[in-house]
Amino acid sequence: MLTQPIKKFIEIFSALPGIGVRQATRLAFKLIGEGRNRIEEITQAVSDLRYLKTCSQCFFVHQNKDNICDICRDPKRNKNLIMIVEKETNLISIEKTKKFNGLYLILGDLSKSGDLDSGKKLRLNHLKHLIKKEGQVEEIILAFNPTTYGDLNASIVVKELQGFAKKISRLGRGIPTGGEIEFADPETLSQSLERRS
Amino acid sequence: MLTQPIKKFIEIFSALPGIGVRQATRLAFKLIGEGRNRIEEITQAVSDLRYLKTCSQCFFVHQNKDNICDICRDPKRNKNLIMIVEKETNLISIEKTKKFNGLYLILGDLSKSGDLDSGKKLRLNHLKHLIKKEGQVEEIILAFNPTTYGDLNASIVVKELQGFAKKISRLGRGIPTGGEIEFADPETLSQSLERRS
């Protein structure tokens, strides 16, 4: 009864995180009801994501002509201080505190097994390579969620980075244990940054 | 810090029903992370919704060359029995019961004030016009949610359609009062269809 374009839309959108079949179905009819111009606008918004590039140093998204993002190219940022975050939204939360002026590495979604997949190993090796050029950095901050999985992954990453920094720290437990970085307010995050241990 | 395409994506997607700013942000990075091919696939899925048409009789979506959907053009369906539903997903739920062989009218989202806006009046007038050609239909079933707003809108629609059907019924209260048609299983819906009053 549903025509092919709707079925396809539901199939694709219900596979995205946080959207189920029911919501995808509603979305489809909502968009159809809003008409061609609106559908074209949304099409464009999705399509434009194609032009985004990933920074070759920290792996954050950017639109610069070369392969370096605005944060990594900023001469005012402290290259001796590197924060490793799980995902882009965590970097954004930290930037909002305006209390961190080092550089980042986005590692990618942490696994629950604690194993580092090839993608994460590649990124860590890339960081090691960058650090080796300079010798050793002052500090690496692991900004993983203070959860079991975060702790597990942190202990693995600490081993991997042994010798690459004078100090390897984690964000202070100003963030409620069991919570997520994404949901912390800037003040709590600032506290956790100042009290890192 | 977020580039324009991401901001635009978040702005558009967070305005869609059931998607907030946080989920839209996650979606953006999820899609970027999945790469160009996947973004193109999703772009296509959204874009293809443009080609869907709305049936000129019942206002359900279709892809036929003329303006009539498969249900309205089916000679086996009983033209003397018309069900008025609020939205497309309700029509789909009713079709799944396989217990209804009449035609439909999709009225559009019911207002909480109980007023019929110009769009809904247009659709009702369109139905009246179709019925007048034949004189009077046997029965019109109002398949609105059994809620306060559903009852309110039903009483208004009943007045509007006075004289256009020998009988105007509502779905039997097999559906739990306060619940929604979308969440009813086919069996409950079948019961409510058989026991309509």
Side-chain angles (χ1 to χ4, degrees):
Chain A
M1 187 179 13
L2 287 176
T3 55
Q4 190 48 36
I6 300 185
K7 281 185 193 156
K8 185 76 187 166
F9 180 96
I10 294 170
E11 181 198 318
I12 284 184
F13 274 79
S14 64
L16 293 174
I19 300 183
V21 170
R22 193 180 300 277
Q23 199 187 357
T25 311
R26 278 184 188 168
L27 274 180
F29 286 114
K30 171 82 179 164
L31 296 189
I32 295 164
E34 293 206 348
R36 288 198 178 192
N37 289 347
R38 183 88 178 130
I39 292 174
E40 269 170 30
E41 197 189 1
I42 296 174
T43 300
Q44 197 58 50
V46 176
S47 181
D48 283 352
L49 294 182
R50 276 183 310 174
Y51 304 119
L52 293 171
K53 299 197 282 187
T54 305
C55 175
S56 66
Q57 277 185 218
C58 73
F59 301 95
F60 191 55
V61 294
H62 69 98
Q63 282 190 294
N64 297 325
K65 283 189 181 152
D66 59 12
N67 292 315
I68 306 293
C69 75
D70 291 342
I71 295 173
C72 286
R73 76 183 328 116
D74 185 350
K76 287 187 206 122
R77 305 210 53 142
N78 182 356
K79 292 189 189 335
N80 263 308
L81 184 58
I82 290 164
M83 182 181 291
I84 303 183
V85 295
E86 186 179 355
K87 40 193 171 184
E88 292 88 347
T89 44
N90 296 156
L91 181 154
I92 292 167
S93 297
I94 296 286
E95 282 296 291
K96 278 186 187 154
T97 72
K98 294 187 176 130
K99 292 283 177 75
F100 178 73
N101 80 327
L103 301 179
Y104 292 95
L105 177 76
I106 296 171
L107 195 57
D109 290 344
L110 299 182
S111 77
K112 299 203 167 181
S113 69
D115 288 333
L116 293 176
D117 60 26
S118 58
K120 285 195 253 306
K121 275 191 181 149
L122 213 69
R123 290 186 179 196
L124 275 183
N125 285 336
H126 189 73
L127 176 67
K128 288 180 188 174
H129 187 74
L130 283 175
I131 293 175
K132 255 186 186 163
K133 280 190 197 165
E134 315 284 330
Q136 200 185 35
V137 293
E138 286 297 323
E139 184 175 353
I140 293 174
I141 306 172
L142 303 182
F144 298 161
N145 288 327
T147 58
T148 315
Y149 305 123
D151 291 347
L152 182 63
N153 279 276
S155 68
I156 292 164
V157 172
V158 164
K159 275 180 208 155
E160 287 279 335
L161 294 177
Q162 217 54 264
F164 286 87
K166 288 183 187 155
K167 184 182 174 185
I168 299 181
S169 62
R170 290 193 63 191
L171 289 184
R173 298 264 164 159
I175 310 163
T177 298
E180 295 194 14
I181 291 173
E182 252 181 291
F183 298 105
D185 58 274
E187 183 51 33
T188 307
L189 267 175
S190 297
Q191 289 289 331
S192 72
L193 199 57
E194 277 163 22
R195 297 178 189 188
R196 65 184 181 266
S197 58
Chain B
M1 187 179 13
L2 287 176
T3 55
Q4 190 50 34
I6 299 185
K7 279 184 196 158
K8 184 78 187 163
F9 180 95
I10 295 170
E11 180 199 319
I12 284 184
F13 274 78
S14 63
L16 293 174
I19 301 182
V21 170
R22 193 179 301 275
Q23 199 188 357
T25 310
R26 278 184 187 169
L27 273 180
F29 285 115
K30 171 82 179 164
L31 295 189
I32 295 164
E34 293 206 347
R36 288 198 178 192
N37 289 348
R38 183 90 177 125
I39 292 175
E40 269 170 31
E41 197 190 0
I42 296 173
T43 300
Q44 197 59 50
V46 176
S47 180
D48 284 352
L49 294 182
R50 274 183 312 172
Y51 303 120
L52 293 172
K53 298 197 282 187
T54 305
C55 176
S56 66
Q57 279 187 216
C58 73
F59 302 96
F60 192 56
V61 294
H62 69 97
Q63 282 191 294
N64 297 324
K65 282 188 181 154
D66 59 11
N67 292 315
I68 305 294
C69 75
D70 292 342
I71 295 174
C72 287
R73 76 182 328 113
D74 185 349
K76 289 188 207 119
R77 305 211 52 142
N78 182 356
K79 292 190 190 333
N80 263 306
L81 183 59
I82 290 164
M83 183 181 288
I84 302 183
V85 296
E86 185 178 355
K87 39 193 173 183
E88 292 88 349
T89 44
N90 295 156
L91 181 154
I92 293 166
S93 298
I94 296 285
E95 282 296 290
K96 278 186 186 154
T97 71
K98 295 189 176 130
K99 293 280 176 76
F100 178 72
N101 80 326
L103 301 179
Y104 292 95
L105 177 76
I106 296 171
L107 195 58
D109 290 343
L110 298 182
S111 77
K112 300 204 168 177
S113 69
D115 288 333
L116 294 176
D117 60 26
S118 57
K120 285 195 253 307
K121 276 193 179 148
L122 213 68
R123 291 185 179 198
L124 275 183
N125 285 335
H126 189 72
L127 176 66
K128 288 180 188 175
H129 186 74
L130 284 175
I131 294 175
K132 256 188 186 163
K133 281 189 198 165
E134 316 285 329
Q136 201 184 36
V137 293
E138 286 297 323
E139 183 175 353
I140 294 174
I141 305 172
L142 302 182
F144 298 161
N145 288 327
T147 58
T148 314
Y149 305 122
D151 291 347
L152 182 62
N153 279 275
S155 67
I156 291 163
V157 172
V158 164
K159 274 181 210 154
E160 287 279 335
L161 294 176
Q162 217 55 262
F164 286 88
K166 289 184 189 154
K167 184 180 174 186
I168 299 181
S169 62
R170 290 194 63 191
L171 288 184
R173 297 263 164 161
I175 309 163
T177 298
E180 294 193 13
I181 290 173
E182 251 180 293
F183 298 103
D185 59 274
E187 183 51 33
T188 307
L189 268 176
S190 296
Q191 289 289 331
S192 71
L193 201 55
E194 276 164 21
R195 297 179 188 187
R196 65 185 181 266
S197 57

